[in-house]
């Protein structure tokens, strides 16, 4: 009989709070599957304390549910952060093993092109060089660049334009600039 009441209470909680819980988890995690997992984990935590829940629709229960889903989603978010820090960023060239003459020539051409780009960027100050590389190589938005460098978005945009003009004036329109400034 008690098991029936617990099951009924759990069904009521699920019907009433599942969607709001999902929205809270999604607002924290920004990922559908992870938000669904957080809701599932939260319900497992709720099941362990089902005896403590009185009226399903009370403010106390609502507050308890919100606290559970928030803490579950935040824990998941923190775990995601820890997991992402564990992965090493690999440059694809590290894993390339040329097997034929053509592969070696292509690899050398890529290295030569990168050295030419580095030489082109050398006269720029460090901040402008970073802005050019973040915009052109990493394809970051000006907002993301501004956040990384702790400057205003408009300043990042203007510095990019000035650096671009300076480089084009210095070297003219040559083939690797097209690749560098294709963003």
């Amino acid at each position: 009989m008690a098991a029936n009441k617990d099951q009924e209470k759990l069904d009521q909680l699920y019907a009433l709070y599942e969607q709001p819980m999902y929205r809270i988890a999604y607002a924290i995690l920004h990922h559908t599957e992870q938000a669904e997992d957080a809701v599932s984990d939260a319900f497992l935590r709720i099941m362990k304390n089902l005896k403590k829940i009185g009226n399903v629709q009370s403010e106390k229960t609502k507050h308890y549910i919100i606290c559970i889903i928030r803490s579950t989603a935040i824990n998941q978010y923190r775990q995601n952060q820890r997991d992402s820090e564990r992965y090493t960023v690999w440059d694809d060239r590290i894993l390339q093993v040329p097997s034929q003459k053509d592969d070696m020539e292509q690899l050398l051409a890529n290295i030569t092109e990168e050295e030419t780009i580095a030489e082109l960027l050398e006269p720029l100050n460090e901040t402008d060089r970073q802005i050019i590389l973040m915009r052109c190589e990493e394809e970051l938005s000006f907002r993301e660049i501004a956040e990384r460098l702790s400057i205003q978005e408009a300043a990042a945009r203007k510095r990019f334009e000035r650096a671009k003009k300076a480089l084009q004036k210095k070297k003219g329109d040559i083939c690797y600039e097209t690749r560098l400034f294709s963003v």
Side-chain angles (χ1 to χ4, degrees), residues 66-157:
I66 291 170
C67 288
I68 292 288
I69 190 60
R70 282 187 69 233
S71 68
T72 303
I74 290 169
N75 288 343
Q76 178 66 37
Y77 180 82
R78 288 178 180 149
Q79 184 63 45
N80 292 344
Q81 294 298 103
R82 285 190 296 271
D83 289 346
S84 70
E85 290 170 3
R86 288 185 192 143
Y87 297 111
T88 304
V89 178
W90 284 92
D91 185 347
D92 289 340
R93 290 176 299 158
I94 294 171
L95 302 176
Q96 290 178 351
V97 179
S99 59
Q100 297 177 343
K101 180 183 173 195
D102 292 339
D103 290 340
M104 182 58 81
E105 288 174 1
Q106 182 62 43
L107 186 60
L108 290 173
N110 290 345
I111 292 170
T112 303
E113 181 178 321
E114 288 177 15
E115 288 172 353
T116 306
I117 291 171
E119 183 180 312
L120 177 69
L121 296 176
E122 189 175 16
L124 298 177
N125 67 44
E126 183 61 28
T127 303
D128 290 347
R129 191 177 311 120
Q130 286 178 341
I131 290 171
I132 292 289
L133 292 174
M134 283 189 254
R135 180 71 178 166
C136 299
E137 295 293 323
E138 297 179 42
E139 299 180 1
L140 297 178
S141 70
F142 288 113
R143 183 189 314 155
E144 293 168 321
I145 293 169
E147 288 173 3
R148 280 195 186 178
L149 297 177
S150 300
I151 61 175
Q152 295 291 318
E153 184 176 345
R157 185 181 317 275

Side-chain angles (χ1 to χ4, degrees), residues 26-39:
Y26 187 81
I28 294 168
L29 296 165
H30 303 290
H31 195 271
T32 303
E33 290 82 9
Q34 289 180 356
E36 290 169 352
D37 290 346
V39 171

Side-chain angles (χ1 to χ4, degrees), residues 5-20:
K5 285 186 180 184
D6 286 348
Q7 183 62 44
E8 186 177 316
K9 188 186 290 186
L10 189 60
D11 290 343
Q12 289 174 347
L13 287 168
Y14 187 83
L16 192 58
Y17 295 111
E18 185 265 336
Q19 282 302 308

